[in-house]
Amino acid sequence: MKVRGRGSGRVSMAGMACYKPGERSRLIYAIREYRGRKDEPKGFGWRDFRNLVIRARLPLGGPIVLVWDNVRLHLTAGMREFIDANAEWLTVFQLPTYAPELNPTEGIWSLVKRDIGNLAAADLGQITRTVKRRLKQIQYRPQVVDGCLAGTGMALGMDEPESLCEPKPWPPVDPRATGSDQVAALV
């Protein structure tokens, strides 16, 4: 998005829509502002994704089942090593190659982008503040995070009868955790 002020840049977002049966849904996110300075990262690296998962572990508690898309950074050797080293509490499932309709965080990004679509920002900082404010609003409205899961056609409950015509219940069963201990996070 272009701004009127001097210079340019971009705002990157990474987040996890988190679901646990019997508890409110959560949104855990990180924002990075890029202003074009020398040696400044333009976006998120695999270490940033790793740190987001680690940061999410404390408030979520219990084992985490992470379901995410095939973004190149999710598939790096460093990320694979991190996942393998933490297999006692972290299980990862990849979504199909291009399936944004199965990822609830895509619904969250859509809501955020809708709010900044007509913003006539004076500078990059104003865009960043607007994005943070909208993410914070979504964070305190678990029904919105739930709606993003419902928009995928997937269900959180494991009690519904399975049908060949409907999507399978989600999250997948982790043999290392009971259903009440398991937390599902989608990135």
Side-chain angles (χ1 to χ4, degrees), residues 22 71 101-102 123 145 175:
V71 170
E101 70 280 359
L102 298 177
D123 58 14
V145 180

Side-chain angles (χ1 to χ4, degrees), residues 88-120:
E88 70 277 357
W89 62 269
L90 181 62
T91 303
V92 176
F93 292 96
Q94 297 290 142
L95 288 172
T97 302
Y98 183 73
E101 70 280 359
L102 298 177
N103 191 343
T105 56
E106 294 295 333
I108 291 168
W109 305 146
S110 175
L111 293 171
V112 172
K113 290 175 187 177
R114 185 180 311 158
D115 281 0
I116 64 172
N118 292 323
L119 178 67

Side-chain angles (χ1 to χ4, degrees), residues 3-7 33 35 119-129:
V3 294
R4 295 185 317 232
R6 196 181 99 156
E33 192 177 78
R35 295 189 172 273
L119 178 67
D123 58 14
L124 190 62
Q126 186 177 2
I127 295 172
T128 304
R129 287 187 301 277

Side-chain angles (χ1 to χ4, degrees), residues 33-156:
E33 192 177 78
Y34 171 70
R35 295 189 172 273
R37 297 184 180 121
K38 185 178 180 183
D39 297 327
E40 181 182 28
K42 288 184 178 179
F44 290 96
W46 74 267
R47 288 179 182 90
D48 298 310
F49 288 113
R50 174 199 63 197
N51 294 344
L52 184 64
V53 172
I54 291 169
R55 199 177 89 214
R57 184 175 180 211
L58 283 172
L60 296 177
I64 295 177
V65 175
L66 185 63
V67 180
W68 61 13
D69 54 19
N70 285 309
V71 170
R72 187 175 39 90
L73 292 170
H74 294 169
L75 306 172
T76 62
M79 200 67 209
R80 281 281 135 219
E81 290 171 14
F82 168 73
I83 292 165
D84 293 342
N86 294 287
E88 70 277 357
W89 62 269
L90 181 62
T91 303
V92 176
F93 292 96
Q94 297 290 142
L95 288 172
T97 302
Y98 183 73
E101 70 280 359
L102 298 177
N103 191 343
T105 56
E106 294 295 333
I108 291 168
W109 305 146
S110 175
L111 293 171
V112 172
K113 290 175 187 177
R114 185 180 311 158
D115 281 0
I116 64 172
N118 292 323
L119 178 67
D123 58 14
L124 190 62
Q126 186 177 2
I127 295 172
T128 304
R129 287 187 301 277
T130 302
V131 167
K132 284 182 181 179
R133 184 176 60 249
R134 184 61 177 134
L135 286 170
K136 182 76 69 189
Q137 289 171 345
I138 294 170
Q139 201 172 34
Y140 287 105
R141 291 178 176 85
Q143 68 276 15
V144 174
V145 180
D146 289 342
C148 291
L149 178 64
T152 66
M154 293 187 275
L156 184 60

